[in-house]
């Protein structure tokens, strides 16, 4: 198992290699894709990418938390969080990779 | 929003591209992320979020019906952490600011 990090640059390179757009178009399309997904989530929509996974908005209610450093209690305001649920296909590929 | 809706939105925003090209772009992006995770790499998309693989150790579980001890093997699970910009936008803060 390697341990490197891939970024937008690598995604743009993959688009460039596979689709044959220019490098600048490829990176613009990677950006637009992430932007469309973000905008849908901000609008309150869940995003489902088949055979990859879904990004869902979950509403968290107010609760009492604690500053782990100082131990001081504080009220954590209600907020929304994004929860990613990997598809069975993605889970299967990742799980199978340890045997290969 | 589903993958086909994402493709349609990107097509609307990019009338100069063929729909088949947009499909290949979106597939290239999610395939690249999938391949990275299968290799055990981390995918860091600033402002959006980061995908990584977490190893969960095997443990001795118990069949809840019979009480019989069963070996639960270790497994590798995909994991997503929302980026600061997206997290803030979802909670109504559009100012941006420093991202993680």
């Amino acid at each position: 198992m390697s341990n490197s990090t891939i970024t937008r640059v690598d995604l743009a390179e993959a688009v460039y290699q596979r689709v044959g757009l220019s490098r600048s178009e490829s990176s613009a399309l990677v950006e637009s894709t992430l932007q469309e997904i973000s905008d849908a989530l901000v609008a309150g929509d869940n995003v489902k990418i088949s055979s990859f996974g879904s990004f869902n908005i979950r509403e968290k209610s107010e609760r009492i938390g604690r500053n782990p450093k100082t131990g001081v209690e504080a009220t954590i305001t209600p907020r929304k969080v994004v929860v990613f649920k990997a598809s069975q296909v993605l889970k299967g590929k990742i799980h199978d990779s340890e045997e290969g | 929003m589903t993958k086909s809706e994402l493709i349609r939105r990107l097509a609307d925003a990019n009338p100069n591209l063929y729909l088949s090209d947009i499909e290949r772009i979106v597939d290239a992006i999610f395939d690249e992320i999938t391949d990275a995770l299968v290799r055990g790499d981390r995918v860091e998309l600033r402002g959006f979020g980061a995908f990584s693989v977490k190893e969960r150790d095997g443990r001795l579980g118990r069949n809840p019906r019979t009480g019989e001890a069963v070996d639960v093997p270790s497994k590798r699970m995909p994991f997503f952490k929302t980026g600061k910009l997206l997290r803030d936008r979802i909670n109504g803060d559009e100012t941006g600011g420093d991202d993680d």
Side-chain angles (χ1 to χ4, degrees):
Chain A
M1 171 152 97
S2 59
N3 272 304
S4 52
T5 298
I6 80 158
T7 64
R8 280 174 168 75
V9 176
D10 304 281
L11 299 186
E13 183 65 21
V15 169
Y16 172 73
Q17 299 285 346
R18 273 172 62 165
V19 187
L21 304 177
S22 71
R23 280 211 156 82
S24 65
E25 270 184 309
S26 300
S27 70
L29 263 297
V30 168
E31 202 51 58
S32 309
T33 302
L34 297 177
Q35 198 63 47
E36 290 291 353
I37 297 171
S38 301
D39 289 350
L41 292 169
V42 170
D45 282 354
N46 292 336
V47 178
K48 187 173 178 183
I49 307 295
S50 61
S51 76
F52 183 76
S54 55
F55 299 90
N56 303 314
I57 298 284
R58 192 167 294 168
E59 308 245 2
K60 297 276 193 180
S61 46
E62 181 181 289
R63 66 188 171 90
I64 305 294
R66 199 181 279 275
N67 180 327
K69 215 172 281 179
T70 62
V72 176
E73 280 191 355
T75 304
I76 298 173
T77 53
R79 65 193 61 209
K80 293 180 199 162
V81 295
V82 179
V83 184
F84 174 68
K85 190 170 183 297
S87 74
Q88 285 305 323
V89 176
L90 180 60
K91 282 186 191 169
K93 282 181 182 167
I94 290 172
H95 185 66
D96 291 347
S97 64
E98 71 194 317
E99 282 118 21
Chain B
M1 181 171 80
T2 60
K3 187 161 101 174
S4 46
E5 281 161 8
L6 169 63
I7 289 165
R8 210 194 49 230
R9 287 183 202 188
L10 288 167
D12 288 347
N14 295 276
N16 55 318
L17 296 178
Y18 292 111
L19 191 66
S20 58
D21 281 344
I22 307 266
E23 285 168 354
R24 284 157 71 203
I25 290 163
V26 170
D27 283 339
I29 291 170
F30 290 106
D31 286 353
E32 191 67 14
I33 296 173
T34 301
D35 291 351
L37 294 174
V38 166
R39 289 193 303 270
D41 287 351
R42 184 181 159 79
V43 180
E44 212 170 280
L45 304 168
R46 240 155 233 262
F48 182 75
F51 297 92
S52 58
V53 175
K54 292 205 167 171
E55 190 109 20
R56 195 169 291 173
D57 286 343
R59 62 190 169 85
L60 203 60
R62 225 165 253 289
N63 180 326
R65 201 175 304 171
T66 64
E68 194 184 348
V70 282
D71 190 37
V72 181
S74 69
K75 55 180 165 187
R76 298 177 59 211
M77 301 275 291
F79 181 79
F80 177 74
K81 183 177 190 291
T82 313
K84 187 176 186 306
L85 182 65
L86 178 56
R87 198 164 60 227
D88 289 348
R89 281 191 67 203
I90 280 166
N91 286 289
D93 177 4
E94 294 278 351
T95 55
D98 282 350
D99 194 21
D100 53 358

